Amino acid sequence: MSTSAALAPALLPRHIAIIMDGNNRYGKANHLPKGHGHVAGKDALDPIVEYCVDTGIEVLTVFAFSSENWQRPPSEVALLMQLLTSTIHEQMPRMDKYRIRLRFIGDRSPLSADLQALMADAEEKTAHFDAMTLVIAISYGGQWDIAHAAKQLAKQVQIGELCADDIDKDLLGRHVQLADAPAVDMLIRTGGEYRLSNFLLWQSAYAELFFTKTLWPEFSAAELASMVAEFAQRQRRFGKTSEQVACAQQLP
């Protein structure tokens, strides 16, 4: 039984997001051919997904390719696109086995037509699964996400469907990516860096942050379970005082 398997459902995070960092450094440290650290990183996802399903996590979102990653060398971008394609193909039987819904977020316009079609087909075939949702962020950036939501609202104001004074954080929040999913409870970054790198900025407003020096290809379900157990011990105040939170927890 994992460290977090015995936790009460109320103590578990509903939505975990992971910045899967450290693939290139893993490849260099293990003398792998250039880019093959990403191949190792692809294989690290499976036990993490299985842990989340077994533990009762509702949503797992992973950062596969950022909007800034387009600036990387063309050869590395091409390899990452190939890995994304193979990952989707390989994940489909697992989605069916574990009844996992597969979703994608990000700006799809720069992606190839074949990859866009593959993503849409995977989403359609798994849309009815309800054990968990696996979200893969491809060509995604948090600032793009917020700007895209603002543009949608601006268009509604322009054609008279909406008044500018009606726009507040709740309305804007209904137009960002994953608006229908729980807010991010835990945001994890592997690889020893301490930054958010433009990932789920809106959705992670009150997320508990976890950083580990473990490179993504070496990140294990056991380490994730330990983080989830720590999450259950943290007091989440959402702007309130500790006393207010403690009092609310004592109410029937």
Side-chain angles (χ1 to χ4, degrees):
M1 181 178 291
S2 70
T3 306
S4 54
L7 292 174
L11 297 177
L12 290 171
R14 297 178 65 192
H15 188 169
I16 296 176
I18 304 178
I19 301 172
M20 305 180 294
D21 193 24
N23 293 310
N24 276 332
R25 280 171 285 159
Y26 175 87
K28 292 176 182 177
N30 289 275
H31 309 290
L32 300 178
K34 191 171 183 179
H36 280 250
H38 293 292
V39 178
K42 177 176 67 68
D43 296 333
L45 182 60
D46 291 346
I48 301 302
V49 171
E50 291 182 22
Y51 163 83
C52 288
V53 173
D54 292 342
T55 307
I57 307 302
E58 293 180 33
V59 183
L60 171 65
T61 301
V62 295
F63 207 5
F65 188 87
S66 76
S67 51
E68 289 74 31
N69 286 155
W70 290 109
Q71 304 174 71
R72 292 195 173 192
S75 59
E76 183 176 349
V77 171
L79 174 61
L80 288 169
M81 291 299 109
Q82 292 173 8
L83 288 175
L84 288 170
T85 298
S86 61
T87 296
I88 296 170
H89 283 297
E90 292 170 9
Q91 287 296 329
M92 289 304 290
R94 300 174 65 79
M95 301 299 100
D96 186 64
K97 176 181 178 181
Y98 293 103
R99 310 291 293 174
I100 298 172
R101 181 186 182 189
L102 186 59
R103 294 180 62 180
F104 302 92
I105 58 172
D107 181 7
R108 303 190 189 192
S109 61
L111 303 175
S112 70
D114 287 344
L115 181 53
Q116 290 188 48
L118 180 63
M119 292 162 60
D121 182 64
E123 288 180 319
E124 181 180 356
K125 288 180 177 177
T126 64
H128 60 290
F129 293 156
D130 57 6
M132 191 191 81
T133 299
L134 171 62
V135 183
I136 302 179
I138 301 177
S139 188
Y140 175 85
Q143 292 173 331
W144 164 86
D145 189 356
I146 297 169
H148 183 258
K151 184 183 292 186
Q152 294 181 69
L153 292 175
K155 288 180 178 178
Q156 292 181 44
V157 172
Q158 188 176 38
I159 62 177
E161 291 183 351
L162 185 68
C163 176
D165 290 338
D166 294 333
I167 299 175
D168 56 17
K169 68 179 182 65
D170 293 328
L171 185 57
L172 182 60
R174 292 201 290 271
H175 288 77
V176 297
Q177 306 276 286
L178 298 179
D180 58 335
V184 176
D185 297 304
M186 284 181 67
L187 191 149
I188 301 167
R189 182 175 187 135
T190 64
E193 302 291 351
Y194 297 87
R195 53 180 176 266
L196 299 181
S197 292
N198 198 21
F199 184 45
L200 296 177
L201 300 178
W202 183 277
Q203 299 85 344
S204 301
Y206 281 97
E208 295 294 319
L209 305 181
F210 291 79
F211 299 95
T212 174
K213 293 184 178 180
T214 303
L215 302 178
W216 169 249
E218 299 175 315
F219 188 69
S220 67
E223 185 169 2
L224 175 55
S226 178
M227 289 179 174
V228 170
E230 180 183 337
F231 171 88
Q233 298 300 315
R234 293 188 183 183
Q235 186 185 65
R236 307 185 72 200
R237 295 193 292 272
F238 299 97
K240 298 179 181 179
T241 66
S242 298
E243 291 76 15
Q244 286 176 306
V245 173
C247 182
Q249 291 173 341
Q250 293 173 3
L251 295 175

